Amino acid sequence: MSLLAGVCLARAEEVKVPIDSDDKRIIYVAPDVAPTGSTVVTNGATVGMQRPDGSTTYGGMNTAGDRPTYSIGASTGGDTSFSAGVSSDGRKESAGVKAGVKIKF
């Protein structure tokens, strides 16, 4: 487990662990971990699918707060990628929506 903690601390982006793949897609799990001294606590995970063109879909849950937060989203692939996602713990005041554009050049 300490190796996983070191990998998570060394990388700024989420760690995606592939659980199934073929020529058309990779299905992965990205655990949401937080270091606590000498151990790592798992606060949920995201399950997603990534295609060869870079497009993705995902859904997940985070249990770090008082209530579990659920999220779902997707992004397109290619040189200009559009993304959108939503998250909520069931309360109106803590729901979130995100969207973005990524341009590769």
Side-chain angles (χ1 to χ4, degrees), residues 17-86:
V17 180
I19 57 174
D20 189 25
S21 66
D22 60 25
D23 293 342
K24 297 179 183 177
R25 51 63 178 152
I26 297 171
I27 298 175
Y28 65 88
V29 172
D32 183 5
V33 295
T36 59
S38 61
T39 63
V40 176
V41 175
T42 303
N43 295 320
T46 299
V47 177
M49 179 174 60
Q50 184 170 346
R51 294 176 196 83
D53 67 356
S55 61
T56 62
T57 56
Y58 68 88
M61 181 177 76
N62 182 307
T63 59
D66 295 338
R67 298 170 57 125
T69 302
Y70 302 92
S71 61
I72 189 168
S75 67
T76 63
D79 291 337
T80 302
S81 178
F82 301 95
S83 63
V86 295

